[in-house]
């Protein structure tokens, strides 16, 4: 279908194939410059937050290699832009849900390095008191309502959280982050339909990194863009460059504003790529399968380097800003990591006490 | 004769109407309660138990849904995480299984896996439909399955009063609760006072008839069979004690164990399959916690380990009766 044919059918912002998108065209054509808005000030902080997420995940990756972190750690290095772009428009009373690859979602909202590190180490001081590990993060005081590794499981919860927000009537919204693999789950399709029928203010954010575990989307779906499911459910949608935080922020901002004004669900497909394997720290191997050779291509689309280049070009940051910011954050990261390593594990009584609302008396009957 | 004053505070109510009274009480007194599920705008799906609630409380709080058990249950859980106390309705247990991930892997574990401080106060109400030639996919109970799961409370009312009060207790509790009512009990009648707040913590098994020769343990519909069997046995001079379990998780083993210590004979009666089921759990509790050296005689009555049949000839073989319970009790006593 040509763009003109799509427009004639009333479908906008949805490519027939991601190969139509500039960002996914042949190597070399896709590190288009990021176009800054007239006031790019918020994107200096966005750059710093993206660097924080990457450096924190690199610290966790090292700990996986060292054998200190044993719980499955799904790293989102290379995918820092979507959570940072979306979070720029959120407030603490919104309700965000994630999945197995949610360190970035969590850090974008909280910046809480120690809480994340302690949790990945199973420590009592972690954000889930050491009961969850990398795959179970929560920080309700910042609006992060939980991430779990069952693929697609939190999508209907986000719909319910949005329904609750609608009942509260304060203009709060829900955000559901998931990957392209989740769009193959029934929970995803049920949730889109239910959200529309309930007119629930939930922003569905699909971080389409083209792979579910080791398997490319071309081997799992007849098309490589998933925004078509939003079209099928009459949900306003956009399919955009997921490594361009400025574009993500612009589109997410419009979608969230529409929901705060009483609108129903919105859908955002961010096309991106993860640099490490499905789980664990390795770049060269993905759950037993040798990595594809397109990693080098995608590294040239680095969301951090692209934003930095635009900000440097605009004279908003000095030429060596990324290195300087990284060095400064490394200190925070090491301090938080060392504290987490020293922290205590949960006490034995936690096992039963934390299962029931009445602190375990029920299970001792 | 009941005087006018008494009629206001105590009324004869059926099990189905009592469930509706529970909903009415909750929706009237708790603005954070809403109910969502398939069939809520139709009088057909849930019998007398929710008639006209949509008209009384509005379709924004009594929500009929698309055919999406998983998403509906997940949405109820999500709203529960945001300060509401939703009741999600599954008109048959069989269809609820499409939402098993949300119930077993999400709601039940939410508190534990996020550190113990976060509540998921969602109530999942499912209805057991037995017999009537409905066959293998419209007749499952599966309470033993769900009672196996730490963090998920499972309640099974056997009486009209419990049908109302355990619903209220379930919704007011801070844990996820699976509330299973039984269509074969909807016409049961009981006199009860006006509804009020009930705490689920501390609710456990109850001795509903005292006896000294044999203990009959039931839950939901089988409690009714145990009571009828006890009445029949009494005419023969056999004194049967009936224990109604009421709450299957966390299971109150103490009440059963104490009764067994008195009678030394226990018949576990369960309207589900035998293998790895609730009846086995009851007998194991008694066997391992026996306080004296007197031998305890144990028996269980369950459905045969086969899917529920459609043919009524086979249904007579599948479903047991109060007579079967009495026969088994006589064997232990004899």
């Amino acid at each position: 279908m040509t763009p003109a044919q799509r427009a004639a059918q009333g479908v906008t912002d949805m490519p027939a194939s991601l190969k139509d998108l500039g960002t996914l065209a042949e190597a070399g054509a896709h590190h288009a410059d990021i176009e800054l808005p007239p006031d790019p000030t918020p994107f200096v902080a966005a750059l710093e937050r993206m660097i924080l997420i990457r450096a924190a995940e690199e610290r966790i990756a090292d700990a996986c290699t060292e054998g200190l972190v044993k719980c499955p750690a799904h790293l989102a290095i290379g995918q820092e832009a979507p959570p940072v772009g979306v979070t720029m428009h959120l407030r603490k009373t919104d309700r965000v849900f994630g999945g197995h690859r949610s360190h970035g979602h969590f850090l974008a909202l909280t910046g809480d390095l120690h809480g994340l590190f302690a949790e990945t180490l199973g420590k009592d001081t972690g954000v889930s008191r050491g009961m969850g590990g990398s795959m179970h993060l929560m920080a309700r005081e910042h609006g992060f309502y939980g991430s779990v590794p069952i693929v697609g499981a939190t999508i209907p919860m986000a719909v319910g959280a949005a329904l609750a927000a609608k009942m509260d009537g304060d203009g709060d919204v829900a955000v559901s982050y998931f990957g392209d693999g989740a769009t193959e789950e029934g929970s995803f399709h049920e949730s889109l339909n239910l959200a529309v029928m309930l007119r629930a203010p939930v922003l569905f954010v699909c971080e389409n990194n083209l792979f579910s575990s080791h398997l490319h989307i071309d081997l799992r779906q007849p098309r490589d863009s998933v925004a078509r499911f939003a079209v099928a459910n009459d949900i306003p949608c956009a399919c955009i460059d997921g490594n361009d935080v400025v574009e993500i922020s612009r589109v997410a901002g419009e979608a969230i504003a529409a929901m705060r004004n009483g609108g129903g669900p919105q859908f955002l497909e961010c096309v991106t790529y993860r640099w490490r394997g499905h789980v664990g720290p390795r770049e060269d191997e993905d759950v037993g399968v040798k990595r594809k050779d397109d990693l080098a291509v995608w590294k040239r689309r680095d969301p951090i380097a692209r934003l930095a280049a635009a900000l440097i070009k605009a004279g908003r940051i000095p030429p060596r800003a990324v290195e300087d910011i990284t060095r400064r954050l490394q200190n925070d990261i090491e301090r938080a990591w060392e504290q987490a390593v020293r922290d205590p594990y949960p006490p034995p009584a936690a096992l039963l006490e934390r299962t029931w609302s009445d602190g375990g008396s029920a299970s001792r009957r | 004769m009941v005087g006018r004053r008494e009629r206001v505070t105590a009324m004869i109510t059926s099990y189905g109407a009592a469930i509706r009274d529970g909903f009415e009480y909750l929706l009237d007194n708790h603005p954070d309660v809403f109910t969502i599920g398939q069939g809520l705008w139709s009088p057909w799906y849930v019998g007398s138990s929710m008639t006209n609630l949509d008209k009384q409380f509005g379709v924004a709080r009594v929500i009929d849904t698309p055919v999406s058990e998983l998403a509906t249950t997940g949405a109820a859980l999500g709203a529960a995480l945001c300060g509401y106390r939703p009741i999600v309705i599954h008109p048959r247990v069989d269809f609820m299984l499409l939402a098993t991930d949300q119930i077993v892997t999400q709601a039940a574990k939410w508190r534990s896996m996020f550190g113990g401080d976060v509540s998921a106060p969602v109530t999942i109400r499912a209805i057991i439909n037995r017999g009537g030639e409905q066959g293998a996919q419209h007749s499952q109970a599966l309470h033993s399955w769900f009672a196996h799961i730490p963090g998920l409370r499972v309640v099974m009312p056997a009486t009209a009063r419990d049908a109302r009060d355990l619903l209220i207790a379930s919704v007011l509790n801070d844990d996820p609760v699976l509330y299973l009512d039984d269509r074969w009990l909807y016409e049961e009648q009981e006199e009860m006072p006006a509804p009020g707040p009930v705490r689920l913590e501390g609710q456990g098994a109850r001795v509903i008839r005292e006896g000294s020769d044999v203990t009959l343990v039931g839950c939901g519909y089988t409690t009714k069979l145990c009571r009828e069997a006890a009445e029949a046995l009494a005419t023969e001079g056999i004194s049967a004690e009936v224990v109604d379990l009421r709450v299957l998780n966390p299971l109150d083993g103490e009440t059963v164990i104490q009764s067994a210590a008195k009678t030394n004979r226990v018949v576990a009666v369960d309207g589900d399959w035998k293998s790895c089921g609730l009846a086995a759990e009851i007998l194991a509790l008694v066997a391992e916690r026996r306080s004296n050296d007197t031998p305890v005689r144990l028996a269980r009555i369950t459905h045969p380990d086969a899917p529920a049949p459609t043919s009524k000839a086979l249904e007579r073989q599948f479903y047991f009766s109060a007579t079967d319970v009495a026969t088994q009790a006589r064997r232990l006593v004899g």
Side-chain angles (χ1 to χ4, degrees):
Chain A
M1 211 164 34
T2 67
Q5 283 170 323
R6 286 201 301 277
Q9 290 188 6
V11 178
T12 56
D13 290 323
M14 195 194 73
S17 163
L18 294 180
K19 282 120 195 143
D20 294 355
L21 281 182
T23 50
L24 281 178
E26 291 307 303
H30 37 233
H31 36 110
D33 285 348
I34 284 183
E35 217 172 298
L36 292 171
D39 176 17
T41 313
F43 291 97
V44 177
L47 176 71
E48 181 160 334
R49 188 48 62 96
M50 285 162 69
I51 294 171
L52 175 85
I53 293 170
R54 178 166 301 177
E57 287 213 297
E58 284 171 343
R59 184 67 194 84
I60 293 170
D62 290 347
C64 293
T65 308
E66 293 158 16
L68 284 173
V69 168
K70 296 278 195 192
C71 72
H74 304 81
L75 303 173
I77 293 170
Q79 301 184 190
E80 294 87 355
V84 171
V86 170
T87 301
M88 290 171 78
H89 304 281
L90 296 180
R91 54 198 198 196
K92 290 190 188 309
T93 47
D94 291 328
R95 305 95 197 266
V96 180
F97 289 82
H100 57 289
R101 197 177 308 285
S102 274
H103 297 164
H105 307 145
F106 170 85
L107 287 174
L109 283 160
T110 69
D112 180 6
L113 292 165
H114 172 260
L116 172 64
F117 291 160
E119 194 55 45
T120 59
L121 288 162
K123 297 300 183 80
D124 202 32
T125 54
V127 284
S128 299
R129 298 173 76 193
M131 304 296 285
S134 160
M135 301 188 291
H136 299 286
L137 305 173
M138 176 177 282
R140 283 178 298 166
E141 68 280 14
H142 293 276
F144 196 59
Y145 272 68
S147 57
V148 306
I150 301 297
V151 178
T154 58
I155 302 175
M157 294 179 212
V159 175
L163 174 64
K166 185 183 161 191
M167 288 174 166
D168 291 343
D170 298 324
D172 293 328
V173 303
V175 175
S176 173
Y177 290 112
F178 50 89
D180 47 301
T183 69
E184 289 147 28
E185 296 283 4
S187 63
F188 166 77
H189 296 276
E190 289 190 15
S191 295
L192 262 58
N193 181 61
L194 187 63
V196 171
M197 296 314 292
L198 294 174
R199 208 174 159 73
V202 51
L203 176 63
F204 298 105
V205 182
C206 179
E207 296 166 320
N208 181 355
N209 64 19
L210 306 174
F211 281 87
S212 175
S213 178
H214 59 290
L215 205 59
H216 193 274
I217 193 166
D218 283 347
L219 299 173
R220 298 182 283 115
Q221 297 190 24
R223 295 192 194 178
D224 55 9
S225 169
V226 303
R228 66 188 192 276
F229 300 122
V231 174
N233 284 286
D234 289 348
I235 298 176
C237 67
C239 177
I240 59 175
D241 178 353
N243 285 3
D244 179 347
V245 70
V246 174
E247 177 70 352
I248 294 165
S249 172
R250 185 183 67 76
V251 177
E254 287 170 7
I256 290 167
M259 295 195 297
R260 293 206 199 285
N261 284 326
Q266 299 263 344
F267 192 104
L268 186 54
E269 177 178 10
C270 300
V271 182
T272 182
Y273 199 82
R274 63 173 152 76
W275 292 9
R276 305 293 177 109
H278 162 65
V279 60
R282 294 181 65 160
E283 279 192 358
D284 58 339
E285 197 184 288
D286 208 353
V287 283
V289 177
K290 199 176 173 311
R291 280 306 287 276
K292 317 290 176 293
D293 34 2
D294 46 5
L295 179 58
V297 173
W298 276 95
K299 280 193 168 181
R300 297 211 298 276
R301 302 168 191 162
D302 180 358
I304 292 174
R306 284 171 73 196
L307 177 62
L311 289 168
I312 291 165
K313 196 172 166 190
R316 307 297 296 213
I317 55 171
R320 294 194 52 80
V322 172
E323 291 78 359
D324 293 343
I325 295 168
T326 305
R327 198 174 313 112
R328 175 162 50 77
L329 291 176
Q330 290 293 0
N331 286 332
D332 298 343
I333 286 170
E334 280 317 306
R335 217 169 25 246
W337 182 263
E338 283 161 20
Q339 178 62 50
V341 169
R342 284 194 301 271
D343 284 346
Y345 288 103
L351 205 58
L352 290 179
E353 278 177 5
R354 295 178 185 176
T355 299
W356 302 96
S357 59
D358 54 354
S361 62
S363 47
R364 285 197 298 270
R365 292 172 66 107
Chain B
M1 285 295 287
V2 180
R4 182 183 284 182
R5 278 177 67 87
E6 282 79 4
R7 208 176 292 150
V8 173
T9 52
M11 287 178 64
I12 306 271
T13 307
S14 73
Y15 185 100
I19 295 173
R20 194 194 181 285
D21 288 350
F23 277 107
E24 188 173 60
Y25 173 83
L26 288 161
L27 288 161
D28 250 340
N29 292 280
H30 296 275
D32 53 350
V33 169
F34 69 91
T35 179
I36 183 167
Q38 287 172 53
L40 299 199
W41 299 341
S42 154
W44 189 80
Y45 280 92
V46 290
S48 54
S49 69
M50 297 183 79
T51 308
N52 287 335
L53 286 174
D54 54 330
K55 294 175 183 67
Q56 190 175 346
F57 294 99
V59 293
R61 292 181 74 201
V62 180
I63 306 170
D64 208 331
T65 68
V67 191
S68 303
E69 289 82 4
L70 192 171
T72 303
T73 307
L77 172 56
L81 299 175
C82 295
Y84 285 82
R85 293 185 177 275
I87 310 159
V88 56
I89 309 295
H90 296 289
R92 285 174 204 272
V93 171
D94 312 76
F95 294 86
M96 177 180 72
L97 299 188
L98 289 162
T100 304
D101 172 68
Q102 292 294 324
I103 300 167
V104 170
T105 307
Q106 308 305 329
K109 294 169 177 56
W110 206 262
R111 177 181 299 280
S112 169
M113 67 191 178
F114 290 110
D117 297 324
V118 51
S119 292
V122 59
T123 297
I124 302 122
R125 176 195 172 204
I127 305 174
I128 303 167
N129 290 256
R130 302 177 194 275
E133 302 190 352
Q134 295 180 91
Q137 296 189 345
H138 274 30
S139 312
Q140 295 180 93
L142 295 174
H143 45 276
S144 304
W145 253 30
F146 289 97
H148 184 62
I149 307 300
L152 179 67
R153 294 181 190 264
V154 179
V155 309
M156 240 174 134
T159 66
R161 171 121 192 229
D162 267 357
R164 183 192 72 185
D165 289 355
L166 289 181
L167 178 66
I168 294 171
S170 298
V171 174
L172 299 184
N173 188 269
D174 281 340
D175 292 317
V177 182
L178 177 61
Y179 170 101
L180 292 165
D181 56 275
D182 195 312
R183 283 295 276 268
W184 275 4
L185 291 169
Y186 272 36
E187 303 313 316
E188 292 293 298
Q189 309 263 322
E190 191 175 3
E191 184 173 316
M192 61 186 78
V198 187
R199 282 172 60 83
L200 189 54
E201 300 95 326
Q203 301 286 342
R206 185 181 282 164
V207 176
I208 61 166
R209 181 188 174 103
E210 293 203 20
S212 53
D213 295 330
V214 60
T215 300
L216 308 177
V217 183
C219 63
Y221 176 69
T222 61
T223 295
K224 174 176 143 72
L225 298 185
C226 290
R227 198 172 48 224
E228 289 168 2
E231 283 160 13
L233 291 165
T235 64
E236 307 162 21
I238 297 174
S239 167
E241 180 147 300
V242 177
V243 177
D244 177 17
L245 290 174
R246 302 173 75 234
V247 179
L248 305 190
N249 196 26
L251 187 62
D252 170 16
E254 217 51 53
T255 303
V256 179
I257 289 161
Q258 279 171 22
S259 179
K262 185 166 71 172
T263 62
N264 291 317
R265 299 178 189 90
V266 179
V267 185
V269 186
D270 188 29
D272 205 351
W273 294 298
K274 176 184 276 188
S275 186
C276 303
L278 180 68
E281 179 65 28
I282 295 300
L283 299 187
L285 275 172
V286 172
E288 72 184 1
R289 287 278 307 281
R290 200 147 59 83
S291 57
N292 55 39
D293 291 333
T294 317
V296 183
R297 303 191 67 186
L298 306 173
R300 53 184 155 162
I301 302 177
T302 66
H303 296 314
D305 283 333
T310 300
S311 161
K312 60 173 161 292
L314 292 174
E315 276 187 336
R316 281 193 287 274
Q317 190 183 332
F318 186 78
Y319 292 105
F320 50 84
S321 66
T323 309
D324 299 319
V325 177
T327 303
Q328 190 59 260
R330 255 182 239 114
R331 280 198 196 117
L332 290 200
V333 174

